[in-house]
Amino acid sequence: MHRLNPKYIRIAVITVVSLLVIFFIAGAVAYSKREALLQKVISKAKAKAKRDYNLDVTIGSAHFTGLSTVAFTNISVVPYQRDSLVHINKFDVSVKLMPLILGDVKLADVNLADGYLKFTSHNGVRNFDFLFKKKKDSTETKSKVDLSELANNLVNGVLYKIPDNLNLKNFNISFADDSNRVMLNMPTARIEDGKLNSTIEVNNRESIWHLDGTMHPSDKNIDVKFYADGKKVEFPFIEQKFKLKLNFDTLTTQLKKVEHSSGETHIYAYSSIRNLLVNHKALAANDIVVPNGSIDADFFVGENFVSVDSSSTIKIKDLTAHPFIKYTLRPNKIYELKINTGWIDAQSMFSSFPQGMFESLEGMQVAGKLNYKLNFYLDTKDPDNVQFDSRLSKDNFRIISYGKTDFSKLNHEFVYTPYEKGKPMPSRVIGPSNPRFTPLESISPDLRNAVMTAEDPSFFRHHGFVEESIRKSIATDFKEKKFKRGGSTISMQLVKNAFLNRGKTLSRKIEETLIVWLIENNGIMTKNRMLEVYFNIIEWGRNVYGIGEASHYYFDKSPSELTLGESIYLASIVPNPKKGLYAFLSDGSLNPRLHGYFNLIGRLMAKNGLTQPDTNAYGFYTVRVKPSLRPAPTAVDTAKVESLMRPADDNDDAAGVPPNQQNDNEAEKTEKEVSKPGFFQRLFGKKDTTGKAAQDSADAAKKREKEAKKEQKRLEKERRKLLRERGY
């Protein structure tokens, strides 16, 4: 073993001693000047607040009371020409020295007494606007943000600002706008030796909340519980502001571990909730109740993505699922979602559905096993190639007994009660005892084929869903930034009409999907019976339900007597039946705007061998609504005649209209008419200029016709798009 040279030892000792001396001298100088340094830092902070956010910050006094403790009094923050935002009478804060030496500010102790944080918004003037102010970018190009580094810095920044010890007394947080006000008063909140205890008084003690648990921010370990004294945690302000009812018994949240390595930040967290109640008109018509639910989530954040890893677990009662959620920011925005339940007991799945979400399935008894899988992938630069695969697989699945709704009732005669805006319409018997009930074989084949061509051309081939249609609908919705009609099969329309209300809610759509799966995949009904019931219950006009009523209402004939043209017309009004009469002119013929639609549906039917090819618009010119439903003569009749002056073009949607037939002088008002036409108007189809009443009548007629044109144009555009989505 070689001995160290004494010379080197002396050099090392002298170096260490010198560094220590320099350190202590620097420390002594800094200590002696710390008050001046503190005031300088405070001045810079005030100037920055004023310059960047237009905030007036005042501090009564600020001075050191120990080696690393600063005491402040009378701190105020007031946005320019706004209400006061913050005021604190007494604020003592100390930082840990070692992290400070290494460049990190980590709080050790915080004492805060008598203060408030007040948010106001009156007549559009908010005292917190500065929070949404974007900083000006002084560089020409913005550097790409590393999301992993951002997440790691954010987590550390938050954790470092949680003190090891906290003593808070009498701090008030409030929000007030023109119609709402909420106040949260914290008489006490303490963190001591890692134990958190707090009391929060809501709106003058209407409720008392508690946030308790363990806090070890240095170890990145947090486990807290949020609950209320003697009642649920409720948020009346959210209900008033956003019409969202939300309450629960207990919310538990844990931060278990945070890691940062290899360019990724991993955050492991857990959260559970007991007796969650949610109610919003977009979710469901009733309260949705989840007795217990939890998520054990593994969040992965990379340079350009944020994800919930598939190792995560979601539990709702006995139902367990593994989600994978990923959002990629660059170079294209990409959304990914996968869900896999694995094979689970079918009854456990049905019993775990949240109460109030699927009313028709409540109480249902089933057996066997089920496995649900979902795969969704959308690249925003290539939405047409969106991936969507949703399937519920079964193993020896069977229905033992129905719950609130017997889905097999459609196999027999039953009473159907349609609803309009939540109110029941007159009930109909769907069966032979109703003279308007029409068996499938007594419905004109042209009508059956026209409706299926327009609504669901693969009805007899699919099992309730057409994934390609849904996929194309998703792509269309994304590109147009709004929800458009599409993807709904006849099976889904039947279930919606027979078993569900008209409310457009998320829960109703999922319930509709589940019922369709049950009916189509478990032999509850045959396809022919489904089609028969569908034709006999869907709406065809105002208080017109079933094809038996519709054929007599529009054409005074039975469903078996409907022509091809009449059938295509009836197919055209299925999406918007209440506006069906807008399609007709005063002589009972069809608006020229439907000419192209007839050619479109007719050609598709001919292509599939459902009718003979036709060069005369597949019955368009022969359709005549019965006289009592015809509207008064309007300007569109003249336009229709003028369209005859140019040659018919098979590619022209408005061409080739035959001459008007004689107007029926006994035409009655439709439901949209607002005034009776004058004598000259009824006789000659011209404006009666003999009085103000005639002028008003003509103006009203023009307005109606303008609305009708607009509606028919929209309907035709929608229908064309729908058919393109379905592969035609």
PDB file of all heavy atoms in Angstrom, residues 603-636:
ATOM      1  N   ARG A 603     -81.584   5.271 -58.262  1.00  0.00           N
ATOM      2  CA  ARG A 603     -80.433   4.624 -58.904  1.00  0.00           C
ATOM      3  C   ARG A 603     -79.790   3.590 -57.987  1.00  0.00           C
ATOM      4  O   ARG A 603     -79.340   2.530 -58.444  1.00  0.00           O
ATOM      5  CB  ARG A 603     -79.409   5.678 -59.309  1.00  0.00           C
ATOM      6  CG  ARG A 603     -79.836   6.543 -60.481  1.00  0.00           C
ATOM      7  CD  ARG A 603     -78.931   7.737 -60.639  1.00  0.00           C
ATOM      8  NE  ARG A 603     -79.385   8.615 -61.704  1.00  0.00           N
ATOM      9  CZ  ARG A 603     -79.017   9.876 -61.834  1.00  0.00           C
ATOM     10  NH1 ARG A 603     -78.178  10.410 -60.942  1.00  0.00           N
ATOM     11  NH2 ARG A 603     -79.469  10.615 -62.833  1.00  0.00           N
ATOM     12  N   LEU A 604     -79.733   3.900 -56.696  1.00  0.00           N
ATOM     13  CA  LEU A 604     -79.176   2.934 -55.751  1.00  0.00           C
ATOM     14  C   LEU A 604     -80.048   1.682 -55.692  1.00  0.00           C
ATOM     15  O   LEU A 604     -79.531   0.559 -55.618  1.00  0.00           O
ATOM     16  CB  LEU A 604     -79.061   3.565 -54.366  1.00  0.00           C
ATOM     17  CG  LEU A 604     -78.004   4.661 -54.218  1.00  0.00           C
ATOM     18  CD1 LEU A 604     -78.109   5.328 -52.851  1.00  0.00           C
ATOM     19  CD2 LEU A 604     -76.602   4.095 -54.417  1.00  0.00           C
ATOM     20  N   MET A 605     -81.360   1.872 -55.699  1.00  0.00           N
ATOM     21  CA  MET A 605     -82.257   0.715 -55.697  1.00  0.00           C
ATOM     22  C   MET A 605     -82.087  -0.097 -56.977  1.00  0.00           C
ATOM     23  O   MET A 605     -82.035  -1.340 -56.940  1.00  0.00           O
ATOM     24  CB  MET A 605     -83.703   1.182 -55.543  1.00  0.00           C
ATOM     25  CG  MET A 605     -84.024   1.786 -54.178  1.00  0.00           C
ATOM     26  SD  MET A 605     -85.690   2.495 -54.077  1.00  0.00           S
ATOM     27  CE  MET A 605     -86.698   1.010 -54.295  1.00  0.00           C
ATOM     28  N   ALA A 606     -81.992   0.589 -58.110  1.00  0.00           N
ATOM     29  CA  ALA A 606     -81.814  -0.115 -59.381  1.00  0.00           C
ATOM     30  C   ALA A 606     -80.483  -0.857 -59.414  1.00  0.00           C
ATOM     31  O   ALA A 606     -80.390  -1.987 -59.917  1.00  0.00           O
ATOM     32  CB  ALA A 606     -81.904   0.884 -60.535  1.00  0.00           C
ATOM     33  N   LYS A 607     -79.467  -0.228 -58.871  1.00  0.00           N
ATOM     34  CA  LYS A 607     -78.140  -0.860 -58.839  1.00  0.00           C
ATOM     35  C   LYS A 607     -78.170  -2.178 -58.082  1.00  0.00           C
ATOM     36  O   LYS A 607     -77.454  -3.125 -58.430  1.00  0.00           O
ATOM     37  CB  LYS A 607     -77.152   0.104 -58.194  1.00  0.00           C
ATOM     38  CG  LYS A 607     -75.742  -0.447 -58.034  1.00  0.00           C
ATOM     39  CD  LYS A 607     -74.842   0.561 -57.326  1.00  0.00           C
ATOM     40  CE  LYS A 607     -73.456  -0.013 -57.093  1.00  0.00           C
ATOM     41  NZ  LYS A 607     -72.576   0.945 -56.370  1.00  0.00           N
ATOM     42  N   ASN A 608     -79.005  -2.256 -57.055  1.00  0.00           N
ATOM     43  CA  ASN A 608     -79.093  -3.476 -56.246  1.00  0.00           C
ATOM     44  C   ASN A 608     -80.251  -4.379 -56.656  1.00  0.00           C
ATOM     45  O   ASN A 608     -80.630  -5.279 -55.911  1.00  0.00           O
ATOM     46  CB  ASN A 608     -79.241  -3.096 -54.767  1.00  0.00           C
ATOM     47  CG  ASN A 608     -77.970  -2.488 -54.202  1.00  0.00           C
ATOM     48  OD1 ASN A 608     -76.959  -3.150 -54.029  1.00  0.00           O
ATOM     49  ND2 ASN A 608     -78.022  -1.187 -53.919  1.00  0.00           N
ATOM     50  N   GLY A 609     -80.833  -4.113 -57.819  1.00  0.00           N
ATOM     51  CA  GLY A 609     -81.888  -4.972 -58.344  1.00  0.00           C
ATOM     52  C   GLY A 609     -83.211  -4.849 -57.615  1.00  0.00           C
ATOM     53  O   GLY A 609     -84.034  -5.760 -57.675  1.00  0.00           O
ATOM     54  N   LEU A 610     -83.452  -3.718 -56.958  1.00  0.00           N
ATOM     55  CA  LEU A 610     -84.685  -3.544 -56.195  1.00  0.00           C
ATOM     56  C   LEU A 610     -85.757  -2.830 -56.993  1.00  0.00           C
ATOM     57  O   LEU A 610     -86.912  -2.766 -56.558  1.00  0.00           O
ATOM     58  CB  LEU A 610     -84.386  -2.753 -54.911  1.00  0.00           C
ATOM     59  CG  LEU A 610     -83.324  -3.377 -53.995  1.00  0.00           C
ATOM     60  CD1 LEU A 610     -83.034  -2.463 -52.807  1.00  0.00           C
ATOM     61  CD2 LEU A 610     -83.782  -4.755 -53.514  1.00  0.00           C
ATOM     62  N   THR A 611     -85.408  -2.265 -58.129  1.00  0.00           N
ATOM     63  CA  THR A 611     -86.374  -1.649 -59.043  1.00  0.00           C
ATOM     64  C   THR A 611     -85.737  -1.583 -60.419  1.00  0.00           C
ATOM     65  O   THR A 611     -84.537  -1.837 -60.577  1.00  0.00           O
ATOM     66  CB  THR A 611     -86.778  -0.246 -58.560  1.00  0.00           C
ATOM     67  OG1 THR A 611     -87.885   0.213 -59.332  1.00  0.00           O
ATOM     68  CG2 THR A 611     -85.636   0.745 -58.689  1.00  0.00           C
ATOM     69  N   GLN A 612     -86.532  -1.248 -61.429  1.00  0.00           N
ATOM     70  CA  GLN A 612     -86.018  -1.136 -62.778  1.00  0.00           C
ATOM     71  C   GLN A 612     -85.383   0.242 -62.993  1.00  0.00           C
ATOM     72  O   GLN A 612     -85.852   1.240 -62.446  1.00  0.00           O
ATOM     73  CB  GLN A 612     -87.156  -1.332 -63.787  1.00  0.00           C
ATOM     74  CG  GLN A 612     -87.742  -2.722 -63.784  1.00  0.00           C
ATOM     75  CD  GLN A 612     -86.714  -3.780 -64.158  1.00  0.00           C
ATOM     76  OE1 GLN A 612     -85.941  -3.602 -65.112  1.00  0.00           O
ATOM     77  NE2 GLN A 612     -86.687  -4.881 -63.417  1.00  0.00           N
ATOM     78  N   PRO A 613     -84.302   0.312 -63.762  1.00  0.00           N
ATOM     79  CA  PRO A 613     -83.726   1.626 -64.085  1.00  0.00           C
ATOM     80  C   PRO A 613     -84.770   2.529 -64.725  1.00  0.00           C
ATOM     81  O   PRO A 613     -85.642   2.065 -65.466  1.00  0.00           O
ATOM     82  CB  PRO A 613     -82.588   1.280 -65.062  1.00  0.00           C
ATOM     83  CG  PRO A 613     -82.244  -0.140 -64.748  1.00  0.00           C
ATOM     84  CD  PRO A 613     -83.524  -0.802 -64.355  1.00  0.00           C
ATOM     85  N   ASP A 614     -84.668   3.822 -64.433  1.00  0.00           N
ATOM     86  CA  ASP A 614     -85.709   4.758 -64.851  1.00  0.00           C
ATOM     87  C   ASP A 614     -85.052   6.078 -65.237  1.00  0.00           C
ATOM     88  O   ASP A 614     -84.148   6.554 -64.551  1.00  0.00           O
ATOM     89  CB  ASP A 614     -86.686   4.968 -63.684  1.00  0.00           C
ATOM     90  CG  ASP A 614     -87.856   5.850 -64.044  1.00  0.00           C
ATOM     91  OD1 ASP A 614     -87.935   6.301 -65.198  1.00  0.00           O
ATOM     92  OD2 ASP A 614     -88.691   6.098 -63.154  1.00  0.00           O
ATOM     93  N   THR A 615     -85.515   6.671 -66.340  1.00  0.00           N
ATOM     94  CA  THR A 615     -84.987   7.965 -66.772  1.00  0.00           C
ATOM     95  C   THR A 615     -85.943   9.096 -66.429  1.00  0.00           C
ATOM     96  O   THR A 615     -85.732  10.238 -66.837  1.00  0.00           O
ATOM     97  CB  THR A 615     -84.732   7.959 -68.298  1.00  0.00           C
ATOM     98  OG1 THR A 615     -85.965   7.665 -68.974  1.00  0.00           O
ATOM     99  CG2 THR A 615     -83.671   6.924 -68.659  1.00  0.00           C
ATOM    100  N   ASN A 616     -86.995   8.796 -65.681  1.00  0.00           N
ATOM    101  CA  ASN A 616     -88.002   9.804 -65.348  1.00  0.00           C
ATOM    102  C   ASN A 616     -88.083  10.035 -63.843  1.00  0.00           C
ATOM    103  O   ASN A 616     -89.161  10.174 -63.270  1.00  0.00           O
ATOM    104  CB  ASN A 616     -89.369   9.378 -65.899  1.00  0.00           C
ATOM    105  CG  ASN A 616     -90.299  10.561 -66.075  1.00  0.00           C
ATOM    106  OD1 ASN A 616     -89.861  11.689 -66.298  1.00  0.00           O
ATOM    107  ND2 ASN A 616     -91.596  10.300 -65.975  1.00  0.00           N
ATOM    108  N   ALA A 617     -86.910  10.034 -63.188  1.00  0.00           N
ATOM    109  CA  ALA A 617     -86.778  10.390 -61.763  1.00  0.00           C
ATOM    110  C   ALA A 617     -87.550   9.469 -60.836  1.00  0.00           C
ATOM    111  O   ALA A 617     -87.961   9.880 -59.755  1.00  0.00           O
ATOM    112  CB  ALA A 617     -87.182  11.842 -61.525  1.00  0.00           C
ATOM    113  N   TYR A 618     -87.740   8.232 -61.217  1.00  0.00           N
ATOM    114  CA  TYR A 618     -88.263   7.184 -60.330  1.00  0.00           C
ATOM    115  C   TYR A 618     -89.546   7.606 -59.601  1.00  0.00           C
ATOM    116  O   TYR A 618     -89.659   7.492 -58.385  1.00  0.00           O
ATOM    117  CB  TYR A 618     -87.193   6.770 -59.326  1.00  0.00           C
ATOM    118  CG  TYR A 618     -85.997   6.141 -60.003  1.00  0.00           C
ATOM    119  CD1 TYR A 618     -84.921   6.927 -60.427  1.00  0.00           C
ATOM    120  CD2 TYR A 618     -85.945   4.776 -60.273  1.00  0.00           C
ATOM    121  CE1 TYR A 618     -83.830   6.368 -61.080  1.00  0.00           C
ATOM    122  CE2 TYR A 618     -84.860   4.204 -60.920  1.00  0.00           C
ATOM    123  CZ  TYR A 618     -83.809   5.007 -61.319  1.00  0.00           C
ATOM    124  OH  TYR A 618     -82.735   4.444 -61.974  1.00  0.00           O
ATOM    125  N   GLY A 619     -90.502   8.085 -60.389  1.00  0.00           N
ATOM    126  CA  GLY A 619     -91.824   8.389 -59.836  1.00  0.00           C
ATOM    127  C   GLY A 619     -91.961   9.774 -59.246  1.00  0.00           C
ATOM    128  O   GLY A 619     -93.014  10.104 -58.692  1.00  0.00           O
ATOM    129  N   PHE A 620     -90.938  10.620 -59.381  1.00  0.00           N
ATOM    130  CA  PHE A 620     -90.994  11.960 -58.786  1.00  0.00           C
ATOM    131  C   PHE A 620     -92.196  12.750 -59.307  1.00  0.00           C
ATOM    132  O   PHE A 620     -92.897  13.426 -58.541  1.00  0.00           O
ATOM    133  CB  PHE A 620     -89.698  12.704 -59.113  1.00  0.00           C
ATOM    134  CG  PHE A 620     -89.705  14.153 -58.730  1.00  0.00           C
ATOM    135  CD1 PHE A 620     -89.414  14.548 -57.437  1.00  0.00           C
ATOM    136  CD2 PHE A 620     -90.015  15.139 -59.672  1.00  0.00           C
ATOM    137  CE1 PHE A 620     -89.426  15.884 -57.073  1.00  0.00           C
ATOM    138  CE2 PHE A 620     -90.032  16.475 -59.320  1.00  0.00           C
ATOM    139  CZ  PHE A 620     -89.735  16.849 -58.019  1.00  0.00           C
ATOM    140  N   TYR A 621     -92.459  12.665 -60.615  1.00  0.00           N
ATOM    141  CA  TYR A 621     -93.503  13.490 -61.222  1.00  0.00           C
ATOM    142  C   TYR A 621     -94.918  13.007 -60.915  1.00  0.00           C
ATOM    143  O   TYR A 621     -95.880  13.742 -61.129  1.00  0.00           O
ATOM    144  CB  TYR A 621     -93.312  13.539 -62.742  1.00  0.00           C
ATOM    145  CG  TYR A 621     -91.951  14.051 -63.161  1.00  0.00           C
ATOM    146  CD1 TYR A 621     -91.161  13.349 -64.054  1.00  0.00           C
ATOM    147  CD2 TYR A 621     -91.465  15.245 -62.649  1.00  0.00           C
ATOM    148  CE1 TYR A 621     -89.914  13.822 -64.436  1.00  0.00           C
ATOM    149  CE2 TYR A 621     -90.219  15.721 -63.011  1.00  0.00           C
ATOM    150  CZ  TYR A 621     -89.443  15.006 -63.910  1.00  0.00           C
ATOM    151  OH  TYR A 621     -88.218  15.481 -64.273  1.00  0.00           O
ATOM    152  N   THR A 622     -95.030  11.775 -60.425  1.00  0.00           N
ATOM    153  CA  THR A 622     -96.376  11.224 -60.198  1.00  0.00           C
ATOM    154  C   THR A 622     -96.874  11.409 -58.773  1.00  0.00           C
ATOM    155  O   THR A 622     -98.036  11.136 -58.487  1.00  0.00           O
ATOM    156  CB  THR A 622     -96.375   9.723 -60.524  1.00  0.00           C
ATOM    157  OG1 THR A 622     -95.518   9.034 -59.598  1.00  0.00           O
ATOM    158  CG2 THR A 622     -95.898   9.470 -61.945  1.00  0.00           C
ATOM    159  N   VAL A 623     -96.026  11.863 -57.878  1.00  0.00           N
ATOM    160  CA  VAL A 623     -96.415  11.982 -56.474  1.00  0.00           C
ATOM    161  C   VAL A 623     -97.338  13.188 -56.297  1.00  0.00           C
ATOM    162  O   VAL A 623     -97.017  14.307 -56.720  1.00  0.00           O
ATOM    163  CB  VAL A 623     -95.175  12.129 -55.571  1.00  0.00           C
ATOM    164  CG1 VAL A 623     -95.592  12.301 -54.109  1.00  0.00           C
ATOM    165  CG2 VAL A 623     -94.261  10.918 -55.720  1.00  0.00           C
ATOM    166  N   ARG A 624     -98.484  12.965 -55.660  1.00  0.00           N
ATOM    167  CA  ARG A 624     -99.428  14.029 -55.336  1.00  0.00           C
ATOM    168  C   ARG A 624     -99.966  13.792 -53.926  1.00  0.00           C
ATOM    169  O   ARG A 624    -100.587  12.755 -53.655  1.00  0.00           O
ATOM    170  CB  ARG A 624    -100.608  14.061 -56.313  1.00  0.00           C
ATOM    171  CG  ARG A 624    -100.262  14.441 -57.735  1.00  0.00           C
ATOM    172  CD  ARG A 624     -99.808  15.895 -57.817  1.00  0.00           C
ATOM    173  NE  ARG A 624     -99.534  16.297 -59.196  1.00  0.00           N
ATOM    174  CZ  ARG A 624     -98.384  16.086 -59.831  1.00  0.00           C
ATOM    175  NH1 ARG A 624     -97.383  15.468 -59.190  1.00  0.00           N
ATOM    176  NH2 ARG A 624     -98.214  16.486 -61.072  1.00  0.00           N
ATOM    177  N   VAL A 625     -99.740  14.763 -53.043  1.00  0.00           N
ATOM    178  CA  VAL A 625    -100.315  14.667 -51.708  1.00  0.00           C
ATOM    179  C   VAL A 625    -101.811  14.937 -51.816  1.00  0.00           C
ATOM    180  O   VAL A 625    -102.270  15.640 -52.736  1.00  0.00           O
ATOM    181  CB  VAL A 625     -99.637  15.669 -50.754  1.00  0.00           C
ATOM    182  CG1 VAL A 625    -100.030  17.109 -51.076  1.00  0.00           C
ATOM    183  CG2 VAL A 625     -99.951  15.341 -49.302  1.00  0.00           C
ATOM    184  N   LYS A 626    -102.589  14.411 -50.897  1.00  0.00           N
ATOM    185  CA  LYS A 626    -104.044  14.572 -50.999  1.00  0.00           C
ATOM    186  C   LYS A 626    -104.425  16.053 -50.869  1.00  0.00           C
ATOM    187  O   LYS A 626    -103.725  16.843 -50.211  1.00  0.00           O
ATOM    188  CB  LYS A 626    -104.739  13.718 -49.955  1.00  0.00           C
ATOM    189  CG  LYS A 626    -104.556  14.127 -48.516  1.00  0.00           C
ATOM    190  CD  LYS A 626    -105.260  13.125 -47.608  1.00  0.00           C
ATOM    191  CE  LYS A 626    -105.184  13.546 -46.140  1.00  0.00           C
ATOM    192  NZ  LYS A 626    -105.821  12.554 -45.249  1.00  0.00           N
ATOM    193  N   PRO A 627    -105.529  16.445 -51.477  1.00  0.00           N
ATOM    194  CA  PRO A 627    -105.893  17.873 -51.564  1.00  0.00           C
ATOM    195  C   PRO A 627    -105.962  18.592 -50.224  1.00  0.00           C
ATOM    196  O   PRO A 627    -105.572  19.757 -50.131  1.00  0.00           O
ATOM    197  CB  PRO A 627    -107.266  17.844 -52.252  1.00  0.00           C
ATOM    198  CG  PRO A 627    -107.234  16.602 -53.081  1.00  0.00           C
ATOM    199  CD  PRO A 627    -106.463  15.603 -52.263  1.00  0.00           C
ATOM    200  N   SER A 628    -106.442  17.944 -49.193  1.00  0.00           N
ATOM    201  CA  SER A 628    -106.624  18.644 -47.917  1.00  0.00           C
ATOM    202  C   SER A 628    -105.317  19.046 -47.259  1.00  0.00           C
ATOM    203  O   SER A 628    -105.310  19.858 -46.337  1.00  0.00           O
ATOM    204  CB  SER A 628    -107.427  17.771 -46.950  1.00  0.00           C
ATOM    205  OG  SER A 628    -106.733  16.566 -46.669  1.00  0.00           O
ATOM    206  N   LEU A 629    -104.193  18.517 -47.733  1.00  0.00           N
ATOM    207  CA  LEU A 629    -102.895  18.852 -47.154  1.00  0.00           C
ATOM    208  C   LEU A 629    -102.097  19.826 -48.006  1.00  0.00           C
ATOM    209  O   LEU A 629    -100.988  20.203 -47.631  1.00  0.00           O
ATOM    210  CB  LEU A 629    -102.062  17.581 -46.937  1.00  0.00           C
ATOM    211  CG  LEU A 629    -102.584  16.569 -45.913  1.00  0.00           C
ATOM    212  CD1 LEU A 629    -101.637  15.381 -45.824  1.00  0.00           C
ATOM    213  CD2 LEU A 629    -102.745  17.211 -44.546  1.00  0.00           C
ATOM    214  N   ARG A 630    -102.643  20.235 -49.133  1.00  0.00           N
ATOM    215  CA  ARG A 630    -101.875  21.087 -50.035  1.00  0.00           C
ATOM    216  C   ARG A 630    -101.829  22.524 -49.522  1.00  0.00           C
ATOM    217  O   ARG A 630    -102.844  23.058 -49.080  1.00  0.00           O
ATOM    218  CB  ARG A 630    -102.481  21.037 -51.435  1.00  0.00           C
ATOM    219  CG  ARG A 630    -102.405  19.643 -52.047  1.00  0.00           C
ATOM    220  CD  ARG A 630    -103.102  19.566 -53.378  1.00  0.00           C
ATOM    221  NE  ARG A 630    -103.137  18.179 -53.852  1.00  0.00           N
ATOM    222  CZ  ARG A 630    -103.712  17.779 -54.984  1.00  0.00           C
ATOM    223  NH1 ARG A 630    -104.295  18.683 -55.771  1.00  0.00           N
ATOM    224  NH2 ARG A 630    -103.694  16.514 -55.313  1.00  0.00           N
ATOM    225  N   PRO A 631    -100.668  23.166 -49.621  1.00  0.00           N
ATOM    226  CA  PRO A 631    -100.557  24.557 -49.160  1.00  0.00           C
ATOM    227  C   PRO A 631    -101.149  25.521 -50.177  1.00  0.00           C
ATOM    228  O   PRO A 631    -101.437  25.151 -51.317  1.00  0.00           O
ATOM    229  CB  PRO A 631     -99.051  24.754 -49.027  1.00  0.00           C
ATOM    230  CG  PRO A 631     -98.475  23.836 -50.057  1.00  0.00           C
ATOM    231  CD  PRO A 631     -99.379  22.624 -50.085  1.00  0.00           C
ATOM    232  N   ALA A 632    -101.316  26.767 -49.755  1.00  0.00           N
ATOM    233  CA  ALA A 632    -101.805  27.797 -50.662  1.00  0.00           C
ATOM    234  C   ALA A 632    -100.760  28.096 -51.727  1.00  0.00           C
ATOM    235  O   ALA A 632     -99.568  27.873 -51.525  1.00  0.00           O
ATOM    236  CB  ALA A 632    -102.115  29.063 -49.871  1.00  0.00           C
ATOM    237  N   PRO A 633    -101.184  28.589 -52.905  1.00  0.00           N
ATOM    238  CA  PRO A 633    -100.228  28.937 -53.967  1.00  0.00           C
ATOM    239  C   PRO A 633     -99.234  29.978 -53.479  1.00  0.00           C
ATOM    240  O   PRO A 633     -99.593  30.909 -52.778  1.00  0.00           O
ATOM    241  CB  PRO A 633    -101.109  29.501 -55.078  1.00  0.00           C
ATOM    242  CG  PRO A 633    -102.466  28.952 -54.814  1.00  0.00           C
ATOM    243  CD  PRO A 633    -102.577  28.839 -53.316  1.00  0.00           C
ATOM    244  N   THR A 634     -97.959  29.798 -53.850  1.00  0.00           N
ATOM    245  CA  THR A 634     -96.912  30.737 -53.464  1.00  0.00           C
ATOM    246  C   THR A 634     -96.000  30.995 -54.651  1.00  0.00           C
ATOM    247  O   THR A 634     -96.196  30.440 -55.739  1.00  0.00           O
ATOM    248  CB  THR A 634     -96.068  30.171 -52.310  1.00  0.00           C
ATOM    249  OG1 THR A 634     -95.424  28.970 -52.758  1.00  0.00           O
ATOM    250  CG2 THR A 634     -96.934  29.858 -51.101  1.00  0.00           C
ATOM    251  N   ALA A 635     -95.006  31.812 -54.412  1.00  0.00           N
ATOM    252  CA  ALA A 635     -94.094  32.196 -55.493  1.00  0.00           C
ATOM    253  C   ALA A 635     -93.358  31.011 -56.078  1.00  0.00           C
ATOM    254  O   ALA A 635     -92.909  31.057 -57.216  1.00  0.00           O
ATOM    255  CB  ALA A 635     -93.088  33.221 -54.974  1.00  0.00           C
ATOM    256  N   VAL A 636     -93.229  29.934 -55.321  1.00  0.00           N
ATOM    257  CA  VAL A 636     -92.481  28.783 -55.822  1.00  0.00           C
ATOM    258  C   VAL A 636     -93.171  28.132 -57.003  1.00  0.00           C
ATOM    259  O   VAL A 636     -92.555  27.518 -57.852  1.00  0.00           O
ATOM    260  CB  VAL A 636     -92.252  27.745 -54.704  1.00  0.00           C
ATOM    261  CG1 VAL A 636     -93.509  26.958 -54.411  1.00  0.00           C
ATOM    262  CG2 VAL A 636     -91.133  26.784 -55.099  1.00  0.00           C
TER     263      VAL A 636
END
